[in-house]
Amino acid sequence: MPKGKKKGKGKGKGKGKDKDKGKGKDKGKKGGSGADNDSKKLLKVYEKNCGLTNSQMCPGIRSLLKAAAEDDKVVTKFILESVPVEKEGDMPVLFDPFIMSLRHERYKHVQDIHIWDYPMGHENVASLSLFLEKPYYPIRLLELMDCIIPAPSVRRLAQALPCCDMLTTLVLDYNEFGDEGCKYLCAGLERNYTLLSLSLCYCDLNIPSGSVLGHILSTTALRDLFLDGNELQCEGVTELIKLCVDQSETEAYQREEDAKRKAEEEALQAEKEKIYHYEVTTGETSGSEKESKGSGKKKKKKGKGKKKGKKKKEPAGPPPVGPWVRKLHLADNGIDGYGDGGSFAPVICMRLFRKLVMNSSFLEELDLEDNHIGELGGRQLMEGLEFRKEAKLGGVKVRTSHQMTTDTFNTIVKLGSGLKKKGKKKGKKGKKVA
């Protein structure tokens, strides 16, 4: 009987342990990620900061944080936009309470920040820059669209860009900071090694911005550039792309050399096979060739033994730095014969584009819509696309003005189809008219 009792006690203890283990698992599932707690804490702090600053919470951010807390998830993308004040007593949406809340909670999950149609004062930009300079926020995308940011504020923002070692996309559309602001921005980007995409549409950029942007495009990892709605004209565009064109010609020359070398190697190999076939059929194989065949077999056996172990994938390195461009959008930039360069300027500019299209294996998109490049400029572009097709470099999506002959335009559309017009976001305006 005592033995039986001991067994019973042992079973009871085992069941208790199993229950405890089950409780531990449930606890891990509920709060292991910390998503629920982080979202709730950020929501409470944001609500508190809005109360202290006499502002209202951004409706979109509030709903996102509530849903994330309920679903045990984290919010990585935040969109802050202004809400119109319709009557007296309505509180506005302010930027400072939002950025203060992220900093107070040290919310490390944030990756994408979008700020739309909100007038950013210099203090707001300074607060954002201080936030970006902290090393523990993995910001990948920053979009400040239509925020009325002047050139001095761009200078403060640019000072934070070298600290953003995970930032890959920067959008500053509809901020008319002009050439001065562009110069400040590019000075900050010189020390940034991760940015891949830059959008400066409708920023009042003129000819001088072409050279500073061309320098950044050639000396950093930047590869996608969106500049629609500015006034770079032919001269600015020429300065923008000339180093990329030179690089593409160098690449084309290298491809030709590699093709010649490969053809020579194939011809040599074919000659060796021909000699070997003759010697085998006539039975005149030399002893030295027998030894080389034997050593070749041994090497193959060693190689088979090595293949047993699986090779580990090497981690992806940093993006390449150099004068390469993948996406270039220059719609409505005054690339025509009415600017300072005269009537021949579009032809000279389009010759560079022809070389870029012909030789660059990296180029994927080119948007030249709403630029009066004319028939001669259109033919330059058409010839580049035709050469590219024959060289089998891969397709390039192209959009251009229709002000040329029907045959030229149709050929460009046929060879460079696929680029769709960007839809503007809700509430965004077109180019301002003075």
Side-chain angles (χ1 to χ4, degrees):
M1 291 296 290
K3 289 180 181 179
K5 284 182 182 178
K6 283 182 183 178
K7 285 182 181 178
K9 285 180 182 178
K11 287 180 181 178
K13 285 180 182 178
K15 286 180 181 178
K17 287 179 182 178
D18 291 338
K19 285 180 182 178
D20 291 339
K21 285 180 182 178
K23 287 179 182 177
K25 287 180 181 178
D26 292 338
K27 285 180 182 178
K29 286 180 181 178
K30 187 176 180 181
S33 65
D36 187 25
N37 293 333
D38 289 347
S39 299
K40 276 185 178 178
K41 286 179 183 177
L42 183 61
L43 182 62
K44 289 179 181 178
V45 172
Y46 184 32
E47 188 174 4
K48 180 183 176 181
N49 287 336
C50 286
L52 294 173
T53 54
N54 295 323
S55 64
Q56 65 166 308
M57 301 173 69
C58 177
I61 294 177
R62 180 178 56 189
S63 60
L64 275 174
L65 289 173
K66 282 185 177 180
E70 292 172 0
D71 298 338
D72 195 17
K73 293 180 179 179
V74 293
V75 180
T76 60
K77 177 180 177 181
F78 293 91
I79 301 175
L80 185 141
E81 51 187 334
S82 61
V83 175
V85 179
E86 297 179 352
K87 57 183 179 179
E88 292 185 7
D90 288 349
M91 293 185 294
V93 172
L94 298 181
F95 173 76
D96 281 340
F98 165 66
I99 205 71
M100 285 167 53
S101 303
L102 292 177
R103 292 185 64 183
H104 288 169
E105 282 303 309
R106 196 171 284 191
Y107 190 78
K108 299 179 183 179
H109 308 290
V110 58
Q111 295 179 352
D112 302 350
I113 295 179
H114 303 257
I115 302 171
W116 295 343
D117 196 21
Y118 181 88
M120 296 277 287
H122 188 77
E123 293 181 358
N124 299 139
V125 176
S127 299
L128 176 61
S129 301
L130 288 171
F131 174 78
L132 295 172
E133 289 168 352
K134 302 299 178 183
Y136 31 79
Y137 298 113
I139 304 298
R140 302 176 309 176
L141 182 149
L142 178 63
E143 183 178 55
L144 307 175
M145 184 181 286
D146 197 11
C147 294
I148 320 177
I149 301 175
S153 297
V154 174
R155 185 177 191 175
R156 178 62 189 95
L157 178 65
Q159 292 173 0
L161 295 177
C163 305
C164 303
D165 55 0
M166 296 189 71
L167 185 69
T168 58
T169 304
L170 178 61
V171 181
L172 297 175
D173 296 347
Y174 301 98
N175 294 290
E176 298 179 349
F177 43 73
D179 297 326
E180 185 183 4
C182 183
K183 184 179 178 181
Y184 291 143
L185 179 66
C186 291
L189 289 175
E190 281 184 356
R191 292 170 289 154
N192 181 283
Y193 305 103
T194 60
L195 192 73
L196 302 177
S197 178
L198 176 63
S199 184
L200 301 176
C201 298
Y202 299 96
C203 289
D204 195 25
L205 306 183
N206 294 284
I207 294 173
S209 294
S211 59
V212 292
L213 287 169
H215 175 70
I216 292 300
L217 187 61
S218 305
T219 57
T220 67
L222 185 65
R223 60 189 184 188
D224 298 341
L225 194 54
F226 304 92
L227 299 171
D228 298 341
N230 292 295
E231 198 67 25
L232 294 182
Q233 299 184 24
C234 298
E235 187 179 346
V237 172
T238 299
E239 293 296 321
L240 175 68
I241 65 170
K242 65 180 183 181
L243 291 178
C244 294
V245 172
D246 292 343
Q247 177 64 27
S248 68
E249 290 182 316
T250 303
E251 289 177 4
Y253 174 77
Q254 189 62 47
R255 282 196 301 269
E256 288 179 6
E257 292 297 312
D258 292 342
K260 287 179 183 177
R261 194 180 300 111
K262 187 178 179 182
E264 290 174 0
E265 290 175 357
E266 289 177 353
L268 184 62
Q269 184 65 26
E271 186 66 24
K272 286 181 179 179
E273 289 178 358
K274 186 178 179 181
I275 294 170
Y276 173 73
H277 180 70
Y278 171 76
E279 291 177 345
V280 168
T281 53
T282 58
E284 296 179 1
T285 307
S286 62
S288 60
E289 288 185 356
K290 287 180 181 178
E291 289 177 5
S292 62
K293 288 174 189 176
S295 61
K297 288 179 181 177
K298 287 179 183 178
K299 286 180 182 178
K300 285 182 180 178
K301 287 180 181 178
K302 286 180 182 179
K304 287 181 181 178
K306 287 180 182 178
K307 286 182 181 178
K308 289 181 181 178
K310 291 183 179 179
K311 290 183 180 180
K312 293 182 180 179
K313 290 184 178 179
E314 294 182 1
V321 174
W324 295 288
V325 60
R326 187 182 66 168
K327 296 180 182 180
L328 184 58
H329 288 215
L330 292 165
D332 191 15
N333 260 276
I335 306 174
D336 50 41
Y338 306 107
D340 298 337
S343 57
F344 290 103
V347 180
I348 297 170
C349 183
M350 292 309 298
R351 282 177 183 170
L352 289 178
F353 278 115
R354 175 173 64 87
K355 293 179 181 179
L356 185 66
V357 171
M358 283 172 58
N359 301 320
S360 175
S361 60
F362 201 62
L363 186 65
E364 293 182 5
E365 291 183 11
L366 179 61
D367 188 357
L368 298 173
E369 194 180 38
D370 295 329
N371 294 294
H372 305 319
I373 62 175
E375 170 64 16
L376 294 177
R379 290 192 68 83
Q380 295 290 326
L381 189 59
M382 181 188 71
E383 290 170 6
L385 289 169
E386 289 175 340
F387 183 89
R388 186 182 184 88
K389 184 180 179 181
E390 292 175 3
K392 299 180 180 179
L393 286 180
V396 174
K397 298 175 182 178
V398 177
R399 272 198 316 145
T400 185
S401 171
H402 63 276
Q403 293 185 347
M404 58 188 72
T405 62
T406 305
D407 293 340
T408 303
F409 180 74
N410 288 341
T411 304
I412 293 173
V413 170
K414 183 180 178 181
L415 295 173
S417 61
L419 184 58
K420 296 180 180 178
K421 193 169 184 178
K422 249 185 175 182
K424 292 179 182 176
K425 292 185 178 179
K426 185 180 178 183
K428 297 299 149 218
K429 58 183 181 299
K431 187 176 180 180
K432 292 182 179 177
V433 180

